[in-house]
Amino acid sequence: MNAPIDPLVLELPHFRLERGGVLDPARLVYRTHGDLAPDKGNAVLLPTWFAGDHTSHEWLIGPGRPLDTDRYFVIVPNLFGNGLSSSPSNTPAPQAGADFPHVTMGDNVRAQHELVRLHFGIERLALVIGCSMGAQQTYQWAVSYPDMVARALPFCGSPKTSPHNGVFIEGLRAVLTAAPEWHRGRRAPGHAAGLRAFSRVYAGWGFSQAFYWNERYRSLGFDSVDAFLVGFWEPNFAGQDTNDLLAMLWTWQHADVGATEGAGGDVVKALGTITARTLAMPAEKDLYFPPEDEVRASAHIPGAEVRVIPGEWGHLAGSGANPDDVAFIGRSVRELLASPADGPRAEGSRPGTG
């Protein structure tokens, strides 16, 4: 009964996008784990991260794991642009490839709401949890549908992409579009030189300086930085469709809960509407979602806590590759799920950092 179901597809006819345009239909690919309780009160939503898919965080899911499928029904929707849900690489003309429309974080969450509320009939999620772009979707869920989110655990992410994070994204975009094979996105599907350069840029940001100084890559089976770049980073993006990567980069760069209807562009106002019991978990040495950003943001979420993931793995602390990070994140997930969904909140409470 707890075996994962093969990926399924929800088609959303005439799906209007926030920045203009229509996907007809939008295709949301998702996977479920466990069984939905008769009262539908055990549902957990785990959106995917950049260039990942519904398998990327399975280290969190399963019997006895933090998202215990003997107790919880876990829904994992794929991000638009990741090559499974509607993306440049799988959408027919006239929206194929470089002509794929811009999709916002709000669009992703609205499609997921259709899946959760209308398809499954779930009125309240026990937890929304996600890493990186999944964390950004977690914040967006908590702002867009506050009555539906009992608990929120964004890790290694933010409610709005910072200017410095945007500079990183511009660098990634530049290496993809500067390669001689680029041809303005009109040639298929990815180009090896650009993807290798992309992986090199990412390698300098995904892990911290201390990770490289202390040769932590050896724990992953690599005996040198060069071997790590070739053996770990290149396969991570090899075979990706360039237009898909660019579409996801656009979504990431424009993530902003302040853009939610009713917030008027005010991030602080948007965060103040969150009613979920929120535990934000940045990684100590994350170079593009640093803890300071989450401390600042969580100060505006009633009763929110910030719990920093310690260690040297930087942004990839959220990848499930380091046992210490897995244990730390897992304990926090279990604690949050065990907490009351609507516990007392001190007036004017401030986030902690423990």
Side-chain angles (χ1 to χ4, degrees):
M1 293 291 290
N2 286 320
I5 298 173
D6 288 338
L8 301 170
V9 182
L10 177 68
E11 291 198 346
L12 301 168
H14 207 68
F15 187 76
R16 291 191 174 276
L17 301 172
E18 290 181 343
R19 294 298 183 98
V22 175
L23 290 172
D24 192 18
R27 300 176 74 254
L28 182 63
V29 176
Y30 65 97
R31 192 175 195 176
T32 65
H33 303 254
D35 298 307
L36 187 60
D39 66 0
K40 301 186 179 182
N42 68 334
V44 172
L45 188 78
L46 198 170
T48 60
W49 63 351
F50 179 79
D53 62 24
H54 54 270
T55 67
S56 297
H57 281 85
E58 288 189 344
W59 54 274
L60 278 169
I61 306 168
R65 293 181 179 175
L67 300 179
D68 188 344
T69 49
D70 288 334
R71 299 183 60 191
Y72 297 103
F73 178 66
V74 184
I75 307 167
V76 188
N78 284 275
L79 183 73
F80 285 133
N82 80 339
L84 295 174
S85 291
S86 290
S87 305
S89 63
N90 63 20
T91 299
Q95 295 176 313
D99 297 316
F100 190 74
H102 291 316
V103 180
T104 66
M105 212 63 76
D107 291 326
N108 276 276
V109 167
R110 189 159 42 86
Q112 294 163 20
H113 177 262
E114 294 278 322
L115 174 67
V116 170
R117 182 67 184 86
L118 299 182
H119 182 72
F120 285 114
I122 297 166
E123 295 184 358
R124 190 161 166 84
L125 290 160
L127 173 68
V128 181
I129 177 174
C131 179
S132 194
M133 286 184 78
Q136 295 183 312
Q137 291 166 81
T138 299
Y139 281 113
Q140 188 65 61
W141 256 100
V143 170
S144 293
Y145 304 104
D147 292 341
M148 287 189 66
V149 182
R151 303 170 186 84
L153 200 162
F155 61 108
C156 304
S158 68
K160 178 178 180 177
T161 298
S162 71
H164 181 254
N165 197 328
V167 170
F168 165 48
I169 294 169
E170 285 296 332
L172 293 173
R173 181 181 290 113
V175 296
L176 287 177
T177 58
E181 304 95 328
W182 166 234
H183 295 292
R184 299 183 64 80
R186 304 294 175 180
R187 298 281 179 89
H191 44 277
L195 293 175
R196 280 196 301 271
F198 186 89
S199 73
R200 291 293 197 276
V201 173
Y202 228 111
W205 288 79
F207 293 100
S208 74
Q209 297 95 332
F211 176 93
Y212 287 100
W213 270 118
N214 294 317
E215 300 182 352
R216 300 300 184 198
Y217 49 80
R218 292 183 181 276
S219 69
L220 296 172
F222 301 97
D223 60 8
S224 69
V225 170
D226 286 343
F228 183 55
L229 292 176
V230 173
F232 179 89
W233 281 105
E234 287 189 15
N236 200 49
F237 296 108
Q240 292 271 359
D241 182 280
T242 304
N243 285 313
D244 286 355
L245 292 174
L246 290 167
M248 288 184 287
L249 288 175
W250 190 94
T251 301
W252 174 0
Q253 190 165 13
H254 292 83
D256 179 4
V257 297
T260 308
E261 185 177 357
D266 188 335
V267 176
V268 170
K269 180 179 179 180
L271 293 173
T273 67
I274 293 176
T275 60
R277 183 178 289 274
T278 302
L279 173 58
M281 293 181 60
E284 180 181 357
K285 294 185 181 296
D286 194 328
L287 297 179
Y288 51 96
F289 288 110
E292 296 86 350
D293 288 355
E294 294 315 280
V295 170
R296 186 181 303 112
S298 293
H300 305 293
I301 301 173
E305 178 187 356
V306 178
R307 189 177 299 178
V308 178
I309 305 168
E312 300 176 346
W313 281 59
H315 189 67
L316 271 292
S319 69
N322 177 28
D324 291 341
D325 297 331
V326 168
F328 187 90
I329 294 167
R331 284 194 301 271
S332 298
V333 172
R334 290 186 173 95
E335 289 174 13
L336 185 60
L337 280 169
S339 69
D342 296 301
R345 289 176 168 81
E347 190 70 26
S349 62
R350 308 291 288 180
T353 57

